[in-house]
Amino acid sequence: AQSVAQPEDQVNVAEGNPLTVKCTYSVSGNPYLFWYVQYPNRGLQFLLKYITGDNLVKGSYGFEAEFNKSQTSFHLKKPSALVSDSALYFCAVSVITDSWGKLQFGAGTQVVVTP
Amino acid sequence: GAGVSQSPSNKVTEKGKDVELRCDPISGHTALYWYRQSLGQGLEFLIYFQGNSAPDKSGLPSDRFSAERTGGSVSTLTIQRTQQEDSAVYLCASSLVSGGANEQYFGPGTRLTVT
């Protein structure tokens, strides 16, 4: 069975500093990896995904993520954080051998960006 | 264009009552998913529909939960004889086609409170 781990419950960063949100996964097949963001009292918004190809994927709002197969990681990054990036971030995995499209989510990481 | 919509946005019900939650997916999206978000359990997959295929019900927590999708569009999640542990935010998502590579677009959710 696949699983996703987000080891940090919360990440605190000052505005303008780099932001990293960690994600590791465990799957038996080839993973499709996703990042979603949730603002207060809102649904999840898609940020980016890794399917195949270039290990560095770029997404919305200046975010990017690096797929590392040997470390089974898919960390989310932003070079310069904004206060408006404060939100709950979820990593998710979908496995082609599983029910197609069913996402397995991590527990989420709360990002707090201070001015 | 219009996103995924859900109704009601909030629902308070007494223990033992039945509730129906509605989801209108993005027009043209053939795949529809239900998830549940709660403090103790994080984000959990419930059920997914793809076109006219039999739904994947593997995530439904008990036989009190059921869902249908009429005409390949609108979906209703029904919870019978609600229990306090059913209190959560119920999220609906849709994607253009099924398949692990396709990102899902989420609605704002229905917050269910069982008293």
Side-chain angles (χ1 to χ4, degrees):
Chain A
Q2 67 270 19
S3 64
V4 179
Q6 293 181 242
E8 300 156 317
D9 292 337
Q10 182 165 315
V11 170
N12 299 300
V13 63
E15 187 173 32
N17 282 359
L19 169 64
T20 298
V21 187
K22 295 180 180 177
C23 172
T24 59
Y25 64 90
S26 174
V27 301
S28 55
N30 292 318
Y32 294 162
L33 295 157
F34 301 80
W35 276 102
Y36 286 85
V37 60
Q38 186 175 36
Y39 297 99
N41 300 314
R42 303 278 297 276
L44 278 70
Q45 294 181 31
F46 169 74
L47 279 179
L48 52 78
K49 66 182 179 182
Y50 172 80
I51 304 302
T52 187
D54 194 349
N55 289 342
L56 184 65
V57 293
K58 295 185 182 297
S60 307
Y61 312 121
F63 284 94
E64 59 187 28
E66 186 170 11
F67 172 67
N68 187 316
K69 188 173 183 178
S70 63
Q71 297 185 2
T72 61
S73 67
F74 188 57
H75 301 332
L76 181 70
K77 299 180 181 183
K78 187 171 184 180
S80 179
L82 300 173
V83 172
S84 57
D85 293 329
S86 298
L88 186 57
Y89 290 78
F90 290 96
C91 182
V93 64
S94 177
V95 180
I96 195 169
T97 57
D98 202 343
S99 172
W100 279 40
K102 181 174 72 176
L103 292 174
Q104 178 78 36
F105 286 92
T109 298
Q110 184 71 47
V111 170
V112 178
V113 182
T114 52
Chain B
V4 177
S5 61
Q6 293 184 246
S7 60
S9 55
N10 283 283
K11 176 71 176 179
V12 180
T13 190
E14 292 180 354
K15 177 181 174 181
K17 300 286 188 182
D18 297 353
V19 295
E20 286 189 351
L21 312 179
R22 177 187 168 103
C23 172
D24 281 273
I26 293 172
S27 177
H29 280 194
T30 62
L32 186 147
Y33 314 81
W34 284 97
Y35 296 87
R36 178 169 71 174
Q37 185 175 20
S38 57
L39 281 177
Q41 301 297 323
L43 271 161
E44 305 171 89
F45 164 79
L46 296 177
I47 186 171
Y48 120 82
F49 297 88
Q50 168 56 46
N52 296 321
S53 301
D56 178 347
K57 304 179 182 180
S58 60
L60 295 178
S62 78
D63 58 8
R64 296 186 295 105
F65 288 71
S66 63
E68 62 178 18
R69 188 179 184 191
T70 54
S73 181
V74 171
S75 177
T76 301
L77 177 68
T78 301
I79 309 173
Q80 296 178 311
R81 305 181 302 281
T82 51
Q83 303 295 311
Q84 288 185 331
E85 61 263 28
D86 299 335
S87 295
V89 176
Y90 289 82
L91 294 168
C92 176
S94 69
S95 65
L96 190 57
V97 294
S98 179
N102 295 288
E103 60 269 27
Q104 298 175 20
Y105 295 87
F106 284 79
T110 293
R111 181 175 297 277
L112 175 66
T113 304
V114 182
T115 62

